[in-house]
Amino acid sequence: MGVTLKDVAQRAGVSIKTVSNVVHGYEHVTPEMRQRVNKALEELNYQPNLPARYLRKGRVSILALAIPFLTNPYFSDIGKAVINAATARSYTVLIDSTDGERSKETLVINGMYPHLIDGVILSPLALEAEDLQERRVTVPLVLLGERLFNVPYDHVVIDNVAAAKLATQHLISLGRKRIAAIGAQGVSAGDTARLRLQGYREALVEAGMSWNPDLVIRSLEYDRIDGIRAMHQLMELETPPDAVFCFNDLLALGAMRALYEGSYRVPEDVAVIGFDDIKESAFSVPSLSTIAPNKQQIGDLAVSFLLDRIEETYSGPPRQTQAPFQLIVRESTAGRHA
Amino acid sequence: MGVTLKDVAQRAGVSIKTVSNVVHGYEHVTPEMRQRVNKALEELNYQPNLPARYLRKGRVSILALAIPFLTNPYFSDIGKAVINAATARSYTVLIDSTDGERSKETLVINGMYPHLIDGVILSPLALEAEDLQERRVTVPLVLLGERLFNVPYDHVVIDNVAAAKLATQHLISLGRKRIAAIGAQGVSAGDTARLRLQGYREALVEAGMSWNPDLVIRSLEYDRIDGIRAMHQLMELETPPDAVFCFNDLLALGAMRALYEGSYRVPEDVAVIGFDDIKESAFSVPSLSTIAPNKQQIGDLAVSFLLDRIEETYSGPPRQTQAPFQLIVRESTAGRHA
């Protein structure tokens, strides 16, 4: 007990900064330096003195990231991206899962863990603007995604209309005539579905194609099983679609599974495109074309916004920024020899 | 500010216990009760008073779960299971990702976040027994998995030898003669790989089959891409295998992708079985046979062990327990009409 970074630095014969980098898991440390520091840490039984650190800096160097579902790969990818960005700035990230419930999201913004963390990044699913207006705690907060607009917090989004339009235009460019959409939701649900549906419709209209409500399947949940269910509805139509735009990759992977069970060929009979570019999509059979938001950039921007507030390097009005995205063409639209 | 659970209970006309259940996200509350409580919480702008709660109970009702990789679905499933178990006991779980690095795992056991949490569940990948022997902090700790044995902490494991044997016996029962294994590691690496290799060998020996070192492919990493690489090695053999036991599902999904690209049929040419039963495996094309550890039970047991220590309902010697597992037969071994 009572061992300081300085003690460790002296023992290891390196700078305090190097010790700090190793302790905080900063990546750009040579293996040799890391080994020397780890040896000294172990020999001295170093234990980080968090309260002292807190008193000195007024910070604990811990951020919370609250995501709806831990088991949705899109959100664990975002988690990884936020951890990468925070680690490079010597912050640790703890992850909380809200199940997309309004009560849990409200607890997160109102300081479920005060004194424990320096700031929160929240990807809300159910929170309403009024919940944020009533917020009293001053722990810095950054929002991710399309659930809430025009609230007084820094916010990282992607242009969902343009991204959905790009996905639909890709299907149109393949000569497909009956292009379905899976993942629409009611007007009261999240904005993400509404914006993606808008992009889909705009692409069809601009291509001079009529849009057919029978080809738009609603789904409140976005898991693989929901994609199977939705695809079954489409396969039961008198004339099934020849292409499907799914509002996330899990829906698309479920849709491809349903097509396989129904002995439809992908993409020959039905081309499929998703949204998110989760890892699984590069390895599925066939591999899945998708829209890839730049998740590392989402993480970088969110952490940068948050640390600006925590470290008081920015105190101006709330900022909103868009992370870029790109179309990834794989076998599910281009065929096996893409 | 200053609103108590009692105030909320009076406003909502329910018991304090009901309010507590809603605030802590306990699932067994009727929707009507939940709605009444949420309304009262919002009207009164309730904010949980954590320090007061801490002073009263000496606890913050927060657990930490440290897993190696957030983006490995097995670990996010375990995370979900731990959250389920903790929520039912009115505890919140924050998740930390260690990247399987010894320095980060050491920080976790030595109280990276003291005063923040009541206890830690750790799934170690790189930690050594000596790291634990030097541990000074008294925050309760429960270990998951096969990395460390004979250390003075409660420990939840599965019987990896028996599970791997069951997987291999399933392939033998299909009449396969050249059964490969993917995921072996060096003797200095984790015990999981060693135990699974042992189960594989025992099954072959008991069936009177010789084991062929050419059919055992090492892999230090267990991601999809590693499965592809390992399967390529097997496909380049003069006589490729007719079955493969992969030490996790991600390796198996990669192996199936490589077989697809090489125009091998699964299971007609090569049967494939994995280990973990991640969600993806029920939806892949073909769906993947696997060993399913009872992940919810792993979470239940770990949380139960930990809360026994935190709430001082058990103070005896360290306990070790095994969670059950089962064989799940799907298309990758039984064929399409399984």
Side-chain angles (χ1 to χ4, degrees), chain A residues 220-231:
Chain A
L220 284 179
E221 310 274 329
Y222 274 32
D223 216 334
R224 299 174 189 84
I225 191 76
D226 309 297
I228 290 185
R229 197 181 34 69
M231 197 68 228

Side-chain angles (χ1 to χ4, degrees), chain A residues 1 22-25 27 34 38 41-43 45-48 50-51 53 60 62 64 67 69-71 73 75-80 83-84 87 92-97 99 101-104 106-107 110-117 130-131 134-137 223-225 228 253-254 256-257 259-263 279-280 282-287 331 336, chain B residues 1 22-25 27 34 38 41-43 45-48 50-51 53 60 62 64 67 70-73 75-80 83-84 87 92-97 99 101-104 106-107 110-117 130-131 134-137 223-225 228 253-254 256-257 259-263 279-280 282-287 331 336:
Chain A
M1 310 290 262
V22 171
V23 166
H24 292 103
E27 288 180 12
R34 192 182 300 276
N38 279 332
L41 287 169
E42 281 164 31
E43 285 167 2
N45 188 32
Y46 170 77
Q47 302 188 0
L50 213 51
R53 186 147 57 110
V60 292
I62 297 179
I67 55 176
F69 308 109
L70 198 62
T71 54
F75 291 113
S76 48
D77 285 350
I78 291 290
K80 178 69 184 155
I83 289 170
N84 288 345
T87 300
T92 295
V93 178
L94 295 175
I95 299 194
D96 191 9
S97 162
D99 289 327
E101 288 179 14
R102 186 174 175 183
S103 62
K104 289 190 196 168
T106 307
L107 274 177
N110 286 321
M112 187 156 194
Y113 16 69
H115 315 303
L116 311 191
I117 53 154
E130 67 219 50
D131 298 324
E134 288 169 4
R135 185 168 190 256
R136 295 280 184 284
V137 296
D223 216 334
R224 299 174 189 84
I225 191 76
I228 290 185
L253 291 159
M256 291 208 298
R257 174 76 206 172
L259 288 163
Y260 168 76
E261 289 172 2
S263 296
K279 262 193 188 175
E280 181 176 347
F283 296 91
S284 60
V285 172
S287 57
E331 293 164 352
R336 188 151 173 188
Chain B
M1 309 291 261
V22 171
V23 167
H24 292 103
E27 288 180 11
R34 193 183 297 277
N38 279 333
L41 286 170
E42 281 166 31
E43 285 167 3
N45 188 32
Y46 170 75
Q47 302 188 1
L50 213 52
R53 183 147 59 111
V60 292
I62 297 179
I67 54 177
L70 196 62
T71 54
N72 179 323
F75 291 112
S76 47
D77 285 351
I78 290 290
K80 178 71 186 156
I83 289 170
N84 288 345
T87 301
T92 295
V93 178
L94 295 176
I95 300 192
D96 192 9
S97 162
D99 289 326
E101 287 180 14
R102 187 172 175 185
S103 61
K104 289 189 197 169
T106 306
L107 275 176
N110 286 321
M112 188 157 193
Y113 16 70
H115 314 302
L116 312 192
I117 53 155
E130 67 219 49
D131 298 324
E134 289 170 5
R135 185 170 189 256
R136 295 281 182 285
V137 297
D223 215 334
R224 298 173 189 85
I225 191 75
I228 289 186
L253 291 160
M256 291 209 297
R257 173 78 207 171
L259 288 164
Y260 168 76
E261 289 172 2
S263 296
K279 261 192 187 175
E280 181 177 346
F283 296 91
S284 59
V285 172
S287 58
E331 294 164 351
R336 188 152 173 187

Side-chain angles (χ1 to χ4, degrees), chain B residues 184-239:
Chain B
Q185 297 182 334
V187 280
S188 66
D191 278 337
T192 307
R194 192 178 54 72
L195 297 170
R196 292 185 187 171
L197 187 64
Q198 184 185 333
Y200 159 80
R201 289 182 68 166
E202 284 183 11
L204 293 182
V205 168
E206 284 184 19
M209 296 165 71
S210 62
W211 92 290
N212 178 349
D214 288 347
L215 294 179
V216 176
I217 308 295
R218 288 194 181 201
S219 188
L220 284 178
E221 311 275 329
Y222 275 30
D223 215 334
R224 298 173 189 85
I225 191 75
D226 309 298
I228 289 186
R229 197 182 34 69
M231 197 67 228
H232 281 157
Q233 281 183 255
L234 290 169
M235 285 156 59
E236 282 160 14
L237 292 175
E238 200 165 317
T239 316

Side-chain angles (χ1 to χ4, degrees), chain B residues 28-325:
Chain B
H28 302 289
V29 179
T30 65
E32 192 216 327
M33 281 294 174
R34 193 183 297 277
Q35 200 175 5
R36 277 165 67 178
V37 171
N38 279 333
K39 189 159 169 286
L41 286 170
E42 281 166 31
E43 285 167 3
L44 295 173
N45 188 32
Y46 170 75
Q47 302 188 1
N49 191 343
L50 213 52
R53 183 147 59 111
Y54 180 81
L55 289 173
R56 198 167 62 250
K57 293 201 301 180
R59 297 197 293 271
V60 292
S61 298
I62 297 179
L63 311 178
L65 168 67
I67 54 177
F69 307 109
L70 196 62
T71 54
N72 179 323
Y74 175 74
F75 291 112
S76 47
D77 285 351
I78 290 290
K80 178 71 186 156
V82 167
I83 289 170
N84 288 345
T87 301
R89 302 279 297 267
S90 299
Y91 280 76
T92 295
V93 178
L94 295 176
I95 300 192
D96 192 9
S97 162
T98 62
D99 289 326
E101 287 180 14
R102 187 172 175 185
S103 61
K104 289 189 197 169
E105 292 178 356
T106 306
L107 275 176
V108 166
I109 60 166
N110 286 321
M112 188 157 193
Y113 16 70
H115 314 302
L116 312 192
I117 53 155
D118 298 324
V120 186
I121 298 170
L122 168 67
S123 179
L125 265 198
L127 206 66
E128 299 291 340
E130 67 219 49
D131 298 324
L132 280 165
Q133 276 140 20
E134 289 170 5
R135 185 170 189 256
R136 295 281 182 285
V137 297
T138 54
V139 173
L141 169 69
V142 168
L143 298 173
L144 297 183
E146 284 59 44
R147 173 67 190 161
L148 295 166
F149 287 105
N150 303 316
V151 288
Y153 293 97
D154 295 327
H155 197 170
V156 181
V157 299
I158 63 165
D159 185 343
N160 272 290
V161 175
K165 199 166 163 177
L166 182 62
T168 311
Q169 284 167 336
H170 173 59
L171 298 174
I172 294 169
S173 76
L174 302 173
R176 304 295 164 134
K177 301 298 178 200
R178 287 176 60 77
I179 299 175
I182 293 179
Q185 297 182 334
V187 280
S188 66
D191 278 337
T192 307
R194 192 178 54 72
L195 297 170
R196 292 185 187 171
L197 187 64
Q198 184 185 333
Y200 159 80
R201 289 182 68 166
E202 284 183 11
L204 293 182
V205 168
E206 284 184 19
M209 296 165 71
S210 62
W211 92 290
N212 178 349
D214 288 347
L215 294 179
V216 176
I217 308 295
R218 288 194 181 201
S219 188
L220 284 178
E221 311 275 329
Y222 275 30
D223 215 334
R224 298 173 189 85
I225 191 75
D226 309 298
I228 289 186
R229 197 182 34 69
M231 197 67 228
H232 281 157
Q233 281 183 255
L234 290 169
M235 285 156 59
E236 282 160 14
L237 292 175
E238 200 165 317
T239 316
D242 55 13
V244 188
F245 166 38
C246 299
F247 289 4
N248 81 349
D249 280 2
L250 293 179
L251 287 172
L253 291 160
M256 291 209 297
R257 173 78 207 171
L259 288 164
Y260 168 76
E261 289 172 2
S263 296
Y264 287 80
R265 292 165 306 161
V266 175
E268 293 83 352
D269 301 320
V270 184
V272 179
I273 189 166
F275 199 114
D276 281 350
D277 193 31
I278 60 177
K279 261 192 187 175
E280 181 177 346
S281 303
F283 296 91
S284 59
V285 172
S287 58
L288 178 65
S289 297
T290 190
I291 297 292
N294 190 324
K295 284 174 267 187
Q296 189 53 57
Q297 200 157 334
I298 292 173
D300 290 345
L301 289 165
V303 168
S304 170
F305 275 180
L306 191 60
L307 295 196
D308 277 351
R309 299 288 181 180
I310 292 170
E311 298 177 352
E312 297 176 357
T313 48
Y314 176 80
S315 58
R319 294 169 292 182
Q320 178 173 310
T321 190
Q322 287 185 338
F325 59 86

